[in-house]
Amino acid sequence: MSTATRTIPAKPSATRKRRSAGGQERTNWPATAILAACTLGVLVPLYVTVSMAFKTTGQAVDGNAFSLPSPLTFDSFVQAWTLTNFSRGFAISVFVSVIAVVGEIVVSALAAYAIVRNWDRRLFRWSFFYLLAAMFIPFPVVALPQIQLTGLVGLDNPLGVAILHIVFALAFNTMLFTAFLRSIPLELEESMRMDGAGTWQVFWRLIFPLLGPMSATVGIFAFIASWNDFMMPSLIISDPEMQTIPVLQKIFQTQFSNSYNVAFASYLMAMAPAIVVYLFTQRWVMSGLTQGAVK
């Protein structure tokens, strides 16, 4: 007796069914519309700023802000450079930003390393909580005492502004470094200590190089905050000739009168360094934050 064999067609796997059913990704139109509106909210003012900066005075006051400059002129940049003494303001802003960036990275990294490696001690643990509590105190609340203290100790100058940037950013930066340091295995330090390395050698030769992504993230935040800051320099620096670029623009704003092209040229020169720095270093922001998120 012969048995007939039948070939049963294989059923498609559940995975294949799920892929065929959900193969087409649906567009989230509400989120897309919100992102498009936010993008336009940034690009349209930027376009107006660039367009007005290259216009003549007559074109700038004709009431058509969205028209292209014709002819293209750089006279507004020359006038803005002279009126605001841009070279001096630029040098002072660079001075404040460099000290703020370096100081925030080094001081915050040292504080976070001391807290993380001594977490079992009450003093260090409560110091971390104290720093977190300081994040809820905005600068305007303590502005008047800071003005008086910086004047008493002779720090009513760009150096004092840079130091205050380091102090007020210590809480947030320490929190970032603390989260990142918890992801670094303690065994790396123990092996280095077995070779005779001390605490400072472990930090500078091992820990600090490993903090590179987070240091870049903190540095970017510090640069943008110090470069664009208006309130702190205007309150702390007593000499008008030693002011940073944002404050100089406010001081000489009355001299721009109806020369909107000069005003926008000044704004464009002031924000150009921050935009360039962020465009070339934005990838470090997400990499630094995500690497310290998961241990």
Side-chain angles (χ1 to χ4, degrees), residues 221-257:
F221 288 153
F223 176 80
I224 295 178
S226 58
W227 184 269
N228 296 328
D229 185 31
F230 171 81
M231 180 178 294
M232 194 179 297
S234 62
L235 294 176
I236 300 300
I237 300 178
S238 57
D239 188 358
E241 296 184 356
M242 299 297 293
Q243 287 289 359
T244 57
I245 290 180
V247 183
L248 286 177
Q249 289 181 332
K250 178 64 178 178
I251 293 176
F252 291 95
Q253 189 173 5
T254 54
Q255 297 189 21
F256 294 147
S257 184

Side-chain angles (χ1 to χ4, degrees), residues 116-176:
V116 171
R117 293 301 181 249
N118 297 277
W119 187 255
D120 54 336
R121 300 182 181 180
R122 183 178 301 178
L123 174 63
F124 292 90
R125 186 166 60 249
W126 283 99
S127 298
F128 179 71
F129 296 145
Y130 174 78
L131 289 176
L132 292 183
M135 293 177 61
F136 297 94
I137 303 177
F139 175 76
V141 176
V142 294
L144 184 58
Q146 293 297 332
I147 296 172
Q148 295 175 343
L149 289 175
T150 51
L152 289 175
V153 298
L155 288 177
D156 51 343
N157 49 46
L159 178 60
V161 173
I163 294 175
L164 288 179
H165 274 296
I166 298 172
V167 173
F168 280 98
L170 180 62
F172 179 71
N173 295 337
T174 303
M175 182 184 66
L176 294 180

Side-chain angles (χ1 to χ4, degrees), residues 66-103:
F66 295 96
S67 62
L68 293 174
S70 178
L72 193 70
T73 177
F74 292 89
D75 293 340
S76 55
F77 290 93
V78 177
Q79 297 180 42
W81 185 284
T82 305
L83 285 173
T84 60
N85 199 349
F86 191 85
S87 56
R88 183 186 62 195
F90 182 84
I92 295 174
S93 294
V94 169
F95 172 78
V96 173
S97 300
V98 169
I99 294 181
V101 169
V102 176

